[in-house]
Amino acid sequence: MKHLTIIVPNGQSNLSTIASIAGACDVFSRANMYWKDAGKGELFNIELAGISEKADYYGGLITLTPQVHISEIAKTDLIVIPATTIRSYEDAVHGNKLFIDWIGQQYKNGAEIASICSGAFMLASTGLLDGKSCSTHWCVADVFRNSFPNVHLEADKLITDGHGIYTNGGGYSFLNLLIYLVEKYYDRQAAIFCAKVFQIEIDRQSQSAFTIFTGQKLHGDEMIKEAQTYIEDKLDEKISIENLSSRFAVGRRNFDRRFIKATGNTPVEYTQRVKIESAKKALETTRKTINEVMYEVGYSDVKAFREVFKKITGISPLEYKAKYNKDGVV
C-alpha cells in the first residue's frame, strides 16, 4: 500500500486551508473505497501530519489534530500541501523549517508532491521548483514571481505536472487537481467516479476565465509604471509600442527588456491583457454587443479580437458573455 501525507500547518492558515485538507482526505478516501469495491484493495494509507499536537483555525473555531508528527513518517509516496496565507519566502520559512526540510528530503527519497493554491509558496521555499513550472492563485501571482524569480510561474494554468511535482491554481480549483491525481494514481474510471460523486468538472485545464488582471505593479521601475498607466488610460486606442518607447526616450529593445523584467509580460502582451480585462467587465455587466465592446477596447478586426480574447481567457467573447452575463443580449 502506498502512503499519502496531507500536511496540517499550524498558523498562516485560513478556512481554505481546512477545505483543501478535508477535500484531499475526502476525495482520496472515496477513491480508496471505489478500488476496494472493485476488488483491488485500498491504494493509499492516508495520514494527516503536522508539527504540533493540534492546529487551530479561524480564531479557534475549528481545530485539527494531526495523526502523526512529520518526523514519524520515514517514507511517503505523495505529499499534499494545502492552501495557506503565506505570501513570501520570508513567510514560508518562518515557523515552517521542519516542513520545508522534511518535504525536500522526502522528494529526494522518491516522494511526489502536490501543492494546492498558495501552498506553492511553501513548496517553492524548498528550492524544488527552481527552474521548473508551477501555478498558484492568480491574485498572488505577482508576489510569487517577486519572491521566487527562479520559478517559471504559469498562472493561467489550472494544473502543472512535471518531475513528480504537481501544482494548481487558486481557490476550490484544488478539487480538479485531486481528480487529476486520482486518475494518475488509480485509473480513469476511478477519476470519473469521484468526479461524479463530488460533482467536479473533469479535465478542466485553465483558470484563465477566472483571472482578474490588475496589472503587475509590484516592481521598482518608475518608467515602466508610467508606461503601464499610459496603456491603461488609452484603452480605446491602438497603441504603437515603438511610439510608446519613444515617449520615454528608450530604444525598443531596451524598453521591451525592462518591461518584461518588471511585469513578466512583453508590452504587447500587457496591452492585450489590459484591453481584454476591460472587455470582460463590459461583457459581464452591460448589454453591449461583442462588436461594441471590441471597438471600445481599440480593436477593429473581429477575428483578431476573438483570437486574443480566447488566448487570454480560454473561451470566446460570445461564450464568456453567455457564461457571466445572465441578462446580456448578444
Side-chain angles (χ1 to χ4, degrees):
M1 183 181 291
K2 293 181 180 294
H3 188 273
L4 166 63
T5 303
I6 303 173
I7 285 179
V8 181
N10 188 11
Q12 296 174 308
S13 306
N14 53 27
L15 291 181
S16 292
T17 311
I18 293 288
S20 48
I21 291 171
C25 191
D26 204 5
V27 170
F28 275 98
S29 294
R30 184 56 66 99
N32 266 348
M33 290 172 59
Y34 178 82
W35 259 35
K36 187 176 180 180
D37 291 343
K40 299 180 182 180
E42 296 184 348
L43 181 62
F44 275 107
N45 172 30
I46 304 167
E47 284 193 304
L48 273 60
I51 55 176
S52 57
E53 291 185 0
K54 66 175 185 176
D56 292 323
Y57 300 91
Y58 212 61
L61 178 65
I62 300 173
T63 299
L64 284 185
T65 303
Q67 294 163 285
V68 295
H69 191 280
I70 57 167
S71 63
E72 298 176 44
I73 301 175
K75 189 177 189 314
T76 190
D77 297 286
L78 176 63
I79 300 167
V80 173
I81 304 173
T84 66
T85 58
I86 293 170
R87 294 294 182 270
S88 69
Y89 172 76
E90 289 74 20
D91 282 350
V93 297
H94 178 68
N96 291 305
K97 191 173 188 307
L98 285 177
F99 278 131
I100 291 169
D101 291 347
W102 181 82
I103 291 168
Q105 187 58 51
Q106 290 298 325
Y107 183 73
K108 289 179 182 177
N109 292 342
E112 296 196 325
I113 306 169
S115 70
I116 289 172
C117 191
S118 51
F121 281 83
M122 183 183 289
L123 175 56
S125 298
T126 65
L128 297 177
L129 284 177
D130 286 356
K132 301 182 181 72
S133 295
C134 86
S135 185
T136 189
H137 199 296
W138 56 260
C139 74
V140 296
D142 289 354
V143 179
F144 187 92
R145 285 191 185 94
N146 287 337
S147 296
F148 304 103
N150 295 326
V151 180
H152 178 47
L153 182 65
E154 298 187 78
D156 291 336
K157 284 195 173 182
L158 191 74
I159 295 168
T160 66
D161 174 353
H163 308 280
I165 296 175
Y166 311 90
T167 68
N168 94 285
Y172 284 71
S173 70
F174 75 82
L175 294 168
N176 299 98
L177 173 63
L178 297 178
I179 295 299
Y180 183 86
L181 291 172
V182 167
E183 181 171 357
K184 273 265 183 175
Y185 278 93
Y186 295 81
D187 56 28
R188 177 70 175 179
Q189 289 307 307
I192 292 172
F193 175 78
C194 289
K196 289 182 175 180
V197 168
F198 294 104
Q199 301 189 37
I200 303 167
E201 183 182 349
I202 198 167
D203 292 333
R204 207 181 115 215
Q205 298 297 321
S206 175
Q207 63 174 341
S208 298
F210 299 91
T211 301
I212 301 173
F213 186 73
T214 55
Q216 302 97 320
K217 303 286 179 64
L218 298 178
H219 58 82
D221 194 324
E222 293 303 320
M223 184 198 76
I224 298 302
K225 285 183 182 179
E226 287 185 40
Q228 289 174 272
T229 300
Y230 181 87
I231 291 170
E232 292 159 9
D233 289 342
K234 305 289 183 181
L235 283 176
D236 59 338
E237 298 180 11
K238 187 173 182 179
I239 297 173
S240 165
I241 305 303
E242 288 286 354
N243 292 341
L244 183 57
S245 61
S246 296
R247 287 178 62 89
F248 297 98
V250 176
R252 174 65 189 271
R253 183 176 295 181
N254 188 36
F255 182 75
D256 283 2
R257 181 186 59 77
R258 286 177 62 173
F259 206 102
I260 293 169
K261 182 179 179 181
T263 71
N265 291 126
T266 67
V268 171
E269 290 169 342
Y270 190 89
T271 301
Q272 290 175 339
R273 285 184 172 273
V274 169
K275 288 177 178 289
I276 296 306
E277 187 61 35
S278 180
K280 284 163 56 182
K281 290 176 183 174
L283 293 172
E284 292 165 8
T285 60
T286 73
R287 297 170 68 87
K288 293 175 182 176
T289 66
I290 303 299
N291 280 3
E292 287 174 322
V293 171
M294 174 187 74
Y295 292 130
E296 283 188 356
V297 296
Y299 283 88
S300 56
D301 184 306
V302 176
K303 185 174 182 290
F305 175 67
R306 186 169 58 243
E307 287 177 351
V308 173
F309 193 99
K310 189 166 186 177
K311 181 184 75 172
I312 290 174
T313 68
I315 56 179
S316 71
L318 194 62
E319 291 171 320
Y320 190 90
K321 185 165 189 172
K323 188 171 186 176
Y324 291 107
N325 190 332
K326 183 179 178 182
D327 301 317
V329 177
V330 177

